[in-house]
Amino acid sequence: MELTNEQRKYLGLELIEPNWERMEIPNNCIKPELSTGKDILFFDGDVLRKVIWLDNNGYFRENSYRLRTQDNRTMISPLTEKGKPKRLNGVNIQRCTPYGIYFDYNGGILIANYTTQQTYYSSAFAGIPIMGQSELQDFLDKWIDDTTDVDLAAIQAFAHMKRKRCKYKEGDFFRFKYDRKNYGYGRILFDVEKYVKSGGKFWNILMGKVLCVSVYHIITDNPNMSIEDLQKLQSCPSKYIMDNRFFYGEYEIVGNAPVPENVDYPIMYGRSISALDRNKICFCCGRDYREIPLENNELLSMDFKNHGINWSLNVNKTIVEECIKAGTNEPYWEVDRRNDLRNPIFSNELAFVLKQMGI
């Protein structure tokens, strides 16, 4: 399947101009993670403007480029005087940075912007199940039918945004979108890097610039919820994530207040992973870090280090809807597949760990 220009218009993608020349090339231009298939290039003269990566399962991604080529479009021209031409193939194209909005279909749909590092829409985050190609076509038809003039203006504005670099801090409330119509809200509870730099003790087995965040039990079309109203709501279990979506402004800060003391921080527990000091058991819950010798102490056989970290929030619209309906986080724990000591199914293990650590 390929998108039409009419569909591209409503998805914020750059349109294919009538004078662009289309070329199909076989396996030498395939993305490594995709199965063998054909890929499509569009040239405006000697400038590569668009690539559609395809595979035999019908999955595809459409990217926009401005890559100057030479030698009858067989080589990518260098960007600097000291650079050297590179052969025009899939590996080398992927080493070049696309720009603007891209569209990805791999059973789910992702509309995002390389330039701003922001996501406009994710079907997975909207809670929509995996869809086949026939369902994809139905989805696109409905997307266009549901698009208002306001929606069209919004995605065009998203397509032409400049990259932001935003500040954030502990206690910030933030707003995000589950889909085109519905907002969610959350809160930054803990800035790990800032805490460690200030001399705080933390079991730092997480990668990147890490924030602990939680998401409130709310899905609303109101983009202006007050922080007073948000503080009255329940939250989903907190999670450590990278700071990227805050730094680039996708999650918008809407207010700040002091973080309460009784925060539900993730729990990390297990044997030290340090090659220099493996013979101890570590426990970390927010700012509470403890360790005991491995010798003469029992280490739970199940892995509860809980140190996986994501780029985005650990929920989607469907999970939050179910939590709101239930009035608890039980629906969240039913689909959470991590070994998290906060999960009620590990209540015995949690009691053991708390006692072992003198809590």
Side-chain angles (χ1 to χ4, degrees), residues 190 192 194-204 240 268 277 280 282-291:
F190 185 27
V192 173
K194 182 177 180 181
Y195 177 69
V196 172
K197 282 185 175 180
S198 69
K201 191 73 172 176
F202 185 81
W203 193 18
N204 204 359
Y240 289 117
M268 299 185 291
D277 191 8
K280 62 184 179 184
C282 302
F283 170 93
C284 192
C285 180
R287 294 169 176 78
D288 187 358
Y289 173 79
R290 306 178 185 213
E291 58 185 48

Side-chain angles (χ1 to χ4, degrees), residues 53-324:
W53 309 95
L54 302 165
D55 82 345
N56 288 332
N57 296 318
Y59 300 158
F60 66 95
R61 173 176 288 196
E62 182 170 319
N63 292 340
S64 292
Y65 290 89
R66 289 173 182 157
L67 295 181
R68 190 165 297 280
T69 65
Q70 61 187 61
D71 301 334
N72 197 28
R73 299 175 180 166
T74 62
M75 306 293 287
I76 300 173
S77 300
L79 297 177
T80 64
E81 292 183 359
K82 295 183 179 180
K84 295 182 180 179
K86 296 180 181 179
R87 184 163 298 279
L88 182 71
N89 58 35
V91 172
N92 287 332
I93 290 175
Q94 290 174 74
R95 288 172 177 165
C96 300
T97 304
Y99 75 92
I101 287 190
Y102 66 94
F103 180 90
D104 185 274
Y105 164 69
N106 63 354
I109 289 173
L110 181 67
I111 304 170
N113 191 316
Y114 275 111
T115 303
T116 63
Q117 291 294 294
Q118 292 189 19
T119 297
Y120 183 80
Y121 178 85
S122 163
S123 61
F125 195 54
I128 296 176
I130 297 295
M131 63 184 80
Q133 279 212 344
S134 61
E135 295 167 302
L136 170 62
Q137 188 60 60
D138 292 339
F139 175 92
L140 292 173
D141 289 343
K142 188 174 188 306
W143 179 278
I144 293 173
D145 290 342
D146 291 346
T147 299
T148 65
D149 290 341
V150 173
D151 294 328
L152 192 58
I155 197 166
Q156 289 301 321
F158 179 82
H160 296 95
M161 284 175 59
K162 295 183 178 180
R163 182 176 293 191
K164 300 177 182 178
R165 288 175 172 80
C166 303
K167 295 182 179 180
Y168 56 81
K169 57 182 177 293
E170 289 180 5
D172 279 346
F173 296 82
F174 61 92
R175 176 182 61 215
F176 58 91
K177 274 193 166 183
Y178 284 110
D179 51 32
R180 289 201 288 179
K181 309 294 185 184
N182 294 287
Y183 293 92
Y185 290 84
R187 193 163 190 200
I188 299 176
L189 303 173
F190 185 27
D191 185 332
V192 173
E193 182 180 56
K194 182 177 180 181
Y195 177 69
V196 172
K197 282 185 175 180
S198 69
K201 191 73 172 176
F202 185 81
W203 193 18
N204 204 359
I205 55 176
L206 307 172
M207 296 182 63
K209 291 188 176 182
V210 180
L211 300 174
C212 179
V213 303
S214 63
V215 173
Y216 287 110
H217 285 197
I218 185 172
I219 300 171
T220 177
D221 60 0
N222 182 3
N224 298 304
M225 291 288 297
S226 71
I227 64 173
E228 291 77 18
D229 288 338
L230 292 175
Q231 290 179 88
K232 299 173 185 176
L233 299 173
Q234 276 189 276
S235 295
C236 293
S238 62
K239 171 71 175 175
Y240 289 117
I241 68 170
M242 301 280 196
D243 79 331
N244 297 54
R245 294 182 189 256
F246 295 97
F247 181 73
Y248 292 118
E250 181 176 334
Y251 297 163
E252 299 176 289
I253 305 304
V254 296
N256 184 278
V259 177
E261 293 184 1
N262 58 336
V263 168
D264 164 43
Y265 293 113
I267 297 174
M268 299 185 291
Y269 167 87
R271 185 176 180 180
S272 169
I273 66 172
S274 170
L276 301 177
D277 191 8
R278 289 274 291 157
N279 296 317
K280 62 184 179 184
I281 301 173
C282 302
F283 170 93
C284 192
C285 180
R287 294 169 176 78
D288 187 358
Y289 173 79
R290 306 178 185 213
E291 58 185 48
I292 58 175
L294 180 63
E295 187 177 2
N296 298 324
N297 283 298
E298 180 183 353
L299 176 67
L300 293 178
S301 58
M302 190 174 290
D303 183 3
F304 287 109
K305 287 192 288 294
N306 194 21
H307 61 305
I309 187 165
N310 297 330
W311 296 97
S312 59
L313 301 172
N314 59 324
V315 296
N316 62 38
K317 184 181 174 185
T318 298
I319 291 174
V320 175
E321 284 176 333
E322 293 175 353
C323 287
I324 293 171

